[in-house]
Amino acid sequence: MTAPHQRTIPVRAGLDLEVREAGTSGSPVLVLHGGPGPSSISPLIDHLAPDHKVVAPTHPGWEGTVRPHDLDCVPALAAAYLDLLGHLSLNDVTVIGTSFGGWVATQTVLEDREGRISRLVLMDAIGPVIPGQQITVPSGPPAPAAGGPAPQGGPSAQSMAAMRAYAGPAMADAGLLPRLSTVTCPVLVIWGTDDTVVTPDFGRAYAVAFPHARFELIPGAGHLPIREKPETVFTHLDSFLTPRAPATSH
């Protein structure tokens, strides 16, 4: 398997996207990272690449990339990724989003007027307002243990600033949940049992709002199950992505 390569793609005037690509054949997968940034989804890219064409953009504003002034909300970012799919002439696309990237993924499906997207996978995603549930946003990178190495996982200050520019002060869209009933494609919702950012109850309510969703809990995982329990995540993901797999619901 060739290593992912990065290139700059001019999707429209005034907007260049930094994109990692991996794999050459198989159905395409668009992978959207969360607050911790592109490195947090590297295990996912490596796992998918042997059987899929993987496209993983860096959200403008992360990793030192420029966020154009007109990219100031989640729908604008979703529109940019639909432009990316069009630029690359990709169809039958699975969109996978983790955390904040899950909100963007959901919005991208909702705005997909050309029917390019055929499946949606959400992992500990934010986005809707769920009655009785709060989002506990990390204030920044976790503090290192005394004398220990710097931890992985928390968003940098720059990433948090970019995320707040897209997500707004509420970090949620009050109009999103009712719109999910219009999503016709199959949806897989994966959640860590120990997630303290958005609880499993938040995830269940998110999943129930889609007409065709499976909800899978990942025991022992928190907000980043792809990093904490990758093999369990891959088992559910591969089952969902296998063509003509029998439909099941939870």
Side-chain angles (χ1 to χ4, degrees):
M1 180 187 72
T2 58
H5 63 278
Q6 185 141 342
R7 65 175 171 134
T8 303
I9 299 178
V11 295
R12 62 175 185 247
L15 180 59
D16 296 344
L17 291 176
E18 295 296 321
V19 177
R20 273 186 294 172
E21 295 176 294
T24 55
S25 60
S27 60
V29 181
L30 175 69
V31 185
L32 303 178
H33 66 78
S39 64
S40 63
I41 56 170
S42 293
L44 198 52
I45 295 171
D46 293 343
H47 176 76
L48 291 167
D51 299 307
H52 299 274
K53 175 179 176 60
V54 185
V55 177
T58 298
H59 303 319
W62 270 257
E63 304 288 308
T65 58
V66 174
R67 180 183 61 82
H69 293 303
D70 61 346
L71 283 190
D72 59 357
C73 60
V74 169
L77 189 55
Y81 292 144
L82 288 170
D83 286 346
L84 174 64
L85 297 181
H87 182 87
L88 298 174
S89 300
L90 297 178
N91 292 292
D92 190 25
V93 179
T94 298
V95 182
I96 302 176
T98 68
S99 189
F100 169 73
W103 180 1
V104 182
T106 298
Q107 189 70 39
T108 305
V109 171
L110 287 169
E111 302 297 337
D112 177 26
R113 304 286 180 254
E114 298 182 16
R116 294 186 182 276
I117 298 167
S118 57
R119 294 177 202 84
L120 173 63
V121 180
L122 303 178
M123 298 184 185
D124 297 73
I126 66 171
V129 172
I130 305 288
Q133 297 291 323
Q134 297 295 321
I135 301 171
T136 307
V137 182
S139 57
Q152 289 185 313
S156 69
Q158 182 206 16
S159 299
M160 285 302 299
M163 185 158 64
R164 289 189 183 282
Y166 290 115
M171 300 291 287
D173 176 358
L176 189 64
L177 195 67
R179 297 182 64 200
L180 302 185
S181 63
T182 67
V183 174
T184 57
C185 68
V187 181
L188 173 63
V189 180
I190 289 175
W191 225 267
T193 56
D194 304 330
D195 190 347
T196 57
V197 177
V198 271
T199 67
D201 284 345
F202 185 104
R204 285 190 188 91
Y206 209 155
V208 165
F210 292 102
H212 310 289
R214 289 165 52 178
F215 181 73
E216 300 287 359
L217 279 173
I218 308 298
H223 191 57
L224 287 173
I226 195 65
R227 182 180 282 166
E228 299 149 346
K229 297 286 184 180
E231 296 308 319
T232 310
V233 172
F234 295 153
T235 296
H236 291 303
L237 184 61
D238 293 346
S239 170
F240 180 71
L241 295 179
T242 302
R244 294 177 297 279
T248 60
S249 59
H250 290 259

